[in-house]
Amino acid sequence: MTYPRLLGFAGIAPFYLSLAAVLLWPQSQLALVALVGYAAVILSFLGAVHWGLAMQMDDAAQARRSYVFSVVPALLGWLALIAPFQPALIMLAAGFGWVWLREYQNPPVAMPAWYRQLRGMLTALVLPALVLGAIFSG
């Protein structure tokens, strides 16, 4: 297994550890803070990947679009941090799905195919944790 795959799959653990805490201790605000906070950080990280790709683009118009796209995940993450838990988790799930959909439908030229494949698998693991967290946060 390559380092990106190993690290990517290891990065799923905090989602499910936080979700387990939400399920085991339904009154725990800390468990929900952990789930929302980690998801917001990782969503922001996904935006940063696109910022890095934009810096490598020769086409100025495409680079501008990628720069704009790259900051939206961080803004969604920030909004989630100040929203009530259930809407925050729904917003984060939508953000992860939206970033994946853009990468799938319109991948930047510099984005390696292995990265898109890995992101698809990781997103498929992240979304249930966020949706279940939203369901059980109420």
Side-chain angles (χ1 to χ4, degrees), residues 2-93:
T2 64
Y3 282 118
R5 286 177 66 89
L6 180 64
L7 293 171
F9 283 108
I12 295 299
F15 286 101
Y16 282 92
L17 290 171
S18 299
L19 176 62
V22 168
L23 298 175
L24 290 171
W25 300 286
Q27 302 305 316
S28 173
Q29 298 288 304
L30 181 58
L32 287 164
V33 167
L35 183 56
V36 169
Y38 186 68
V41 167
I42 297 303
L43 187 59
S44 182
F45 174 84
L46 297 180
V49 168
H50 285 269
W51 182 279
L53 291 171
M55 290 189 297
Q56 299 176 27
M57 293 179 183
D58 293 327
D59 182 333
Q62 185 182 18
R64 277 192 300 276
R65 287 189 299 275
S66 288
Y67 282 125
V68 170
F69 173 80
S70 75
V71 299
V72 175
L75 293 172
L76 283 174
W78 172 71
L79 287 173
L81 290 172
I82 60 175
F85 293 123
Q86 194 169 46
L89 290 164
I90 292 167
M91 185 183 329
L92 289 163

Side-chain angles (χ1 to χ4, degrees), residues 102-120:
R102 183 184 188 265
E103 290 172 351
Y104 180 77
Q105 289 181 334
N106 189 21
V109 174
M111 181 177 280
W114 66 262
Y115 177 80
R116 286 194 313 276
Q117 181 184 17
L118 177 60
R119 280 273 301 113

